[in-house]
Amino acid sequence: MGNRKHQHAQHVLGSKLAAKKDLMEMLWPVLGATLLFFIPYVLLSEALGLACYGTGMQLREDLTQAQLLSYVLAFEIANLLLVQPLYFGLTQFYALRRAGGRPRLSMVTMCLASPKLYWKSVRLALLLLLFAVLWMIPTGLICAVGYVAFVSIVSTRFGWFLFIEVVIVAVAWYASVMLQYHCSYALLAEQPKLGCWKAVRMAVGKFKGHRMEAFSLLISFSFWLVMSALLGGVPLLVVLPYLLLALYHLFDRIRGVEIRVATEKTENQ
């Protein structure tokens, strides 16, 4: 048991140290790639905000429910067709960086230049969305049980405190589960001919017996994720690559492999 906990800690700590090294050795290109991904998303979010709120802090009074739904739907479609292909390219950038490569910024937009990659990125995004929705069901049930147990039965401030704790743990566990699914991006970077469904199942299968490590990795980033939310998402320019690089290194350690690329191949990317 002690050896298991030690290995667990070594995997998480070692992954973060390796990710930090990858990030610092190529800081500006990594930040540039992350920014290239974020710009369209921010612009789409601003457009949605202007359509729904105008220049104020409350929903426009003349906005109907049908209009609101149409704006949100248009945002989600644009996110799927533009932002998700860029995210696919960004993950391939990170995957190559964690393998010791020096990828170019053009890797972020590679799906826009390849119809095959483009539709693959959309299919993977839809598949991950499906699993995200499915995992919301048990997460919601846990929160509902917590509400009944700690708020309805123990109707005190302490009951509310316990309920909030249950919600925080459930949401954190949900996010850590989704991180496991996102390792499918790393597998697709290693095996471009791999299908989306197989990549997702392989990624999740590799985490069997190691799910607490993904949870611990996420918890170790909780402070920076909260700060990112409080500061309007700006710190995510650093936090996102740091987290995903660490995740990919953790995935390698769990599988017992070390993905590296040759210098000559790297320079020609």
Side-chain angles (χ1 to χ4, degrees):
M1 189 60 152
N3 289 336
R4 178 66 177 171
K5 289 183 177 179
H6 178 71
Q7 184 186 53
H8 177 131
Q10 286 294 102
H11 278 176
V12 175
L13 179 60
S15 299
K16 292 187 69 175
L17 291 175
K20 185 176 181 180
K21 181 180 178 182
D22 289 340
L23 183 60
M24 297 310 297
E25 286 181 352
M26 238 182 105
L27 180 61
W28 294 114
V30 171
L31 294 183
T34 308
L35 183 63
L36 188 58
F37 157 72
F38 269 118
I39 287 175
Y41 180 78
V42 172
L43 291 177
L44 287 173
S45 299
E46 286 296 320
L48 177 63
L50 287 173
C52 297
Y53 294 91
T55 57
M57 298 297 292
Q58 295 182 341
L59 285 173
R60 288 170 30 212
E61 294 182 359
D62 62 335
L63 187 67
T64 65
Q65 187 174 17
Q67 287 176 322
L68 177 61
L69 290 175
S70 66
Y71 291 151
V72 173
L73 180 61
F75 171 81
E76 293 299 338
I77 292 174
N79 176 65
L80 175 65
L81 299 180
L82 176 60
V83 178
Q84 291 305 315
L86 293 177
Y87 182 73
F88 186 97
L90 184 66
T91 60
Q92 306 308 284
F93 182 101
Y94 292 157
L96 183 57
R97 176 80 282 265
R98 78 78 160 78
R102 303 187 68 85
R104 296 179 179 177
L105 292 182
S106 58
M107 204 166 193
V108 179
T109 60
M110 66 181 187
C111 290
L112 302 182
S114 169
K116 185 177 180 180
L117 276 178
Y118 179 84
W119 290 116
K120 190 171 190 176
S121 69
V122 172
R123 290 198 309 273
L124 182 57
L126 289 172
L127 186 57
L128 293 180
L129 176 61
L130 172 63
F131 281 108
V133 171
L134 291 176
W135 274 102
M136 282 182 185
I137 298 173
T139 304
L141 288 176
I142 291 172
C143 294
V145 170
Y147 179 83
V148 172
F150 299 123
V151 177
S152 299
I153 299 176
V154 186
S155 56
T156 62
R157 289 183 179 179
F158 183 64
W160 274 104
F161 173 77
L162 291 177
F163 168 64
I164 292 172
E165 291 296 312
V166 169
V167 171
I168 291 174
V169 173
V171 170
W173 183 258
Y174 170 82
S176 70
V177 170
M178 295 317 300
L179 279 182
Q180 299 168 37
Y181 282 89
H182 274 70
C183 285
S184 56
Y185 285 106
L187 285 174
L188 289 174
E190 300 162 21
Q191 306 175 52
K193 294 184 179 180
L194 197 64
C196 295
W197 175 259
K198 190 172 183 180
V200 169
R201 301 310 301 165
M202 285 176 62
V204 176
K206 295 295 183 181
F207 271 96
K208 286 185 178 179
H210 297 275
R211 291 191 170 93
M212 278 302 298
E213 290 169 50
F215 182 75
S216 298
L217 179 68
L218 180 67
I219 293 300
S220 71
F221 278 90
S222 58
F223 172 79
W224 294 112
L225 293 172
V226 170
M227 290 301 297
S228 297
L230 294 176
L231 296 175
V234 175
L236 282 176
L237 286 174
V238 177
V239 176
L240 180 64
Y242 188 16
L243 173 59
L244 290 184
L245 284 168
L247 175 65
Y248 294 160
H249 278 292
L250 177 62
F251 188 50
D252 291 344
R253 286 170 176 265
I254 287 173
R255 294 183 293 163
V257 302
E258 184 179 10
I259 308 297
R260 307 304 293 175
V261 295
T263 304
E264 294 79 11
K265 181 179 178 181
T266 302
E267 294 301 326
N268 290 326
Q269 293 293 329

